[in-house]
């Protein structure tokens, strides 16, 4: 039948920052009513948050085929101290187990969509199976430009006079040249992550297409450069299909009810929301300064505290121990400090929220954009400074570059408090944030870029 004529298989990577956009893309495809979808689910998941999200996703879309992929025991000792990155390596090393699984699927598979972190192994497998292969790059078009250009940049950097260079021209970046300080430090050391980028980036040209969770009005410069071949010769088509809309299934993931009723009681735009994403545990000393800063700002707040990278361990340590009894007591009147998974999209869409202190993980940035929330950018690692740069030039947030990368130094509470005051009362930021929201709404509306692109692709896959 028409409905089953396209069979899409999707293969996500680890961590909520990758799984969430993957499932949002999956639901776009399922909702189009023209695709059968199989989601390969590597098991066990790294975190509880991931396994909850997967099971709620499945109960919302029973027509979906969930294909468990039981991973072999992980490499010991761990390849990386970061559990999510360790998982990426396990997935890459286990990919040879996929072809029999894929070949056994019925109806035969039409196309394959995998996470960017699995690029090289999956390109090789899909080539053997003669399957068109697309990737979902889970960050900005600006970051994708950097990713595509990285081997060239690394080569330039390794030249003898390179250490005198303080910035690099990167085609496609809206704020080129890129300051050296914005490049994740691990990329200029001999790390697995650097090797992964060096290996994967040249293989981009073997893909049939790249999906990005972004939209034209926000990243037109990068999207044009990417699709014009200015960033990488023979770049496959790059499709902006964002910003991805959070779906109903994500709501079931949390018990945010009391939090939302607290927000309901606050004046419009009066609350600052603070969250550093699913993978960043700040040092306790830094967290206490954030607490002091929030108190100092005078604004009410919702603050998601993360003490350990993996949520399994989190239940064990109480807030009193992480932040100190005095601070916890002092904050009680002023806001909510939460150490569990919250429904971030719901918080950002609440009318009482007037500002977002964010690490600039791309999903968080897109969620803020969809809701027109001004940002205090506080990038911690990875792609986050590049994303922060984009927020800064769009003038929908501010970024204090002297705060540095995670753990470089402790940023003091008074500085944090002052910065929060700045974003909460700045009308220019609010206006620009509303402009971003308008562009986001347009892209995701009926007949907007996102829908048109998905429909065109499905037509193409049918033929
Ligand atoms: Br924490 C937390 N609730 O309590 P990013 C996060 N999220 O809904 P990251 C919650 O997780 P990467 C919580 O809304 C976003 O969709 C949040 O993704 C959600 O950052 C996602 O913002 C986090 O991209 O991932 O987790 O650091 O390293 O891949 O950027």
């Amino acid at each position: 039948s028409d409905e089953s004529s396209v069979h899409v298989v999707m293969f996500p990577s680890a961590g909520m920052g990758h799984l969430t956009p993957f499932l949002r893309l999956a639901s776009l495809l399922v909702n189009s009513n023209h695709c059968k979808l199989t989601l390969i689910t590597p098991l066990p998941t790294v975190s509880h948050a991931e396994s909850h999200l997967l099971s709620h996703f499945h109960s919302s879309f029973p027509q979906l085929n969930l294909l468990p992929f039981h991973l072999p025991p992980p490499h010991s000792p761990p390849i990386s101290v970061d559990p999510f990155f360790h998982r990426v390596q396990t997935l890459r090393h286990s990919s040879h187990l996929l072809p029999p699984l894929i070949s056994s699927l019925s109806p035969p598979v039409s196309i394959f969509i995998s996470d960017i972190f699995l690029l090289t192994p999956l390109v090789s497998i899909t080539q053997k199976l003669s399957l068109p292969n697309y990737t979902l790059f889970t960050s900005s078009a600006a970051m994708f430009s950097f990713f595509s250009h990285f081997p060239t940049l690394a080569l330039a950097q390794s030249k003898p006079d390179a250490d005198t260079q303080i910035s690099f021209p990167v085609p496609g970046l809206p704020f080129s040249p890129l300051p050296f300080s914005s490049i994740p430090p691990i990329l200029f050391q001999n790390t697995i992550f650097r090797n992964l980028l060096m290996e994967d980036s040249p293989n981009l040209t073997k893909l049939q297409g790249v999906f990005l969770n972004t939209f034209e009005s926000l990243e037109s410069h990068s999207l044009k450069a990417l699709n014009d071949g200015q960033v990488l010769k023979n770049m496959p088509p790059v499709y902006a299909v964002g910003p991805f809309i959070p779906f109903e299934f994500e709501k079931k993931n949390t018990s945010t009810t009391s939090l939302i009723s607290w927000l309901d009681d606050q004046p419009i735009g009066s609350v600052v929301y603070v969250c550093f994403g699913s993978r960043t545990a700040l040092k306790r000393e830094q967290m206490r300064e954030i607490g002091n800063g929030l108190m100092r700002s005078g604004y009410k707040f919702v603050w998601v505290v993360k003490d350990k990278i993996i949520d399994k361990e989190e239940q064990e340590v109480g807030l009193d121990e992480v932040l100190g009894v005095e601070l916890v007591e002092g904050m009680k009147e002023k806001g909510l400090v939460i150490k569990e998974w919250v429904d971030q999209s719901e918080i950002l869409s609440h009318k009482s929220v007037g500002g977002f202190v964010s690490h600039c993980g791309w999903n968080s940035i897109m969620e803020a954009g969809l809701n027109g929330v001004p940002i205090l950018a506080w990038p911690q690692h990875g792609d986050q400074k590049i994303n922060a740069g984009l927020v800064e030039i769009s003038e929908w947030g501010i970024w204090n570059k002297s705060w540095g990368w995670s753990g470089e130094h402790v940023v003091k509470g008074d500085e944090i408090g002052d910065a929060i005051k700045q974003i909460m009362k700045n009308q220019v930021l609010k206006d620009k944030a509303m402009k971003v929201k308008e562009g986001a709404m347009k892209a995701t509306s009926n007949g907007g870029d996102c829908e048109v692109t998905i429909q065109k692709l499905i037509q193409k896959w049918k033929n």
Side-chain angles (χ1 to χ4, degrees), residues 16-18 20 24 275-279 304 340-345 359 361-364 367 384:
M16 289 299 270
H18 286 251
T20 303
R24 289 176 184 170
C275 180
F276 292 88
S278 68
R279 305 165 33 95
V304 180
E340 297 148 15
W341 190 262
V342 298
D343 186 337
Q344 174 166 302
S345 317
H359 73 315
W362 189 245
N363 298 294
S364 295
E367 290 158 11
Q384 295 156 14

Side-chain angles (χ1 to χ4, degrees), residues 112-123:
F112 201 91
I113 306 176
S114 52
D115 186 274
I116 187 70
F117 276 161
L118 310 173
L119 194 132
T120 300
L122 266 299
V123 156

Side-chain angles (χ1 to χ4, degrees), residues 6-65:
V6 177
H7 186 178
V8 179
V9 177
M10 295 182 75
F11 188 31
S13 175
M16 289 299 270
H18 286 251
L19 188 61
T20 303
F22 231 78
L23 297 187
R24 289 176 184 170
L25 176 63
S27 37
L28 276 180
L29 294 168
V30 178
N31 283 339
S32 78
N33 281 329
H34 295 288
C35 289
K36 177 184 166 67
L37 203 117
T38 295
L39 183 76
I40 302 177
T41 48
L43 295 175
T45 57
V46 178
S47 64
H48 282 320
E50 291 165 274
S51 67
H52 287 157
L53 184 65
L54 277 169
S55 70
H56 291 304
F57 181 67
H58 199 199
S59 46
S60 301
F61 297 104
Q63 72 273 41
L64 177 97
N65 179 25

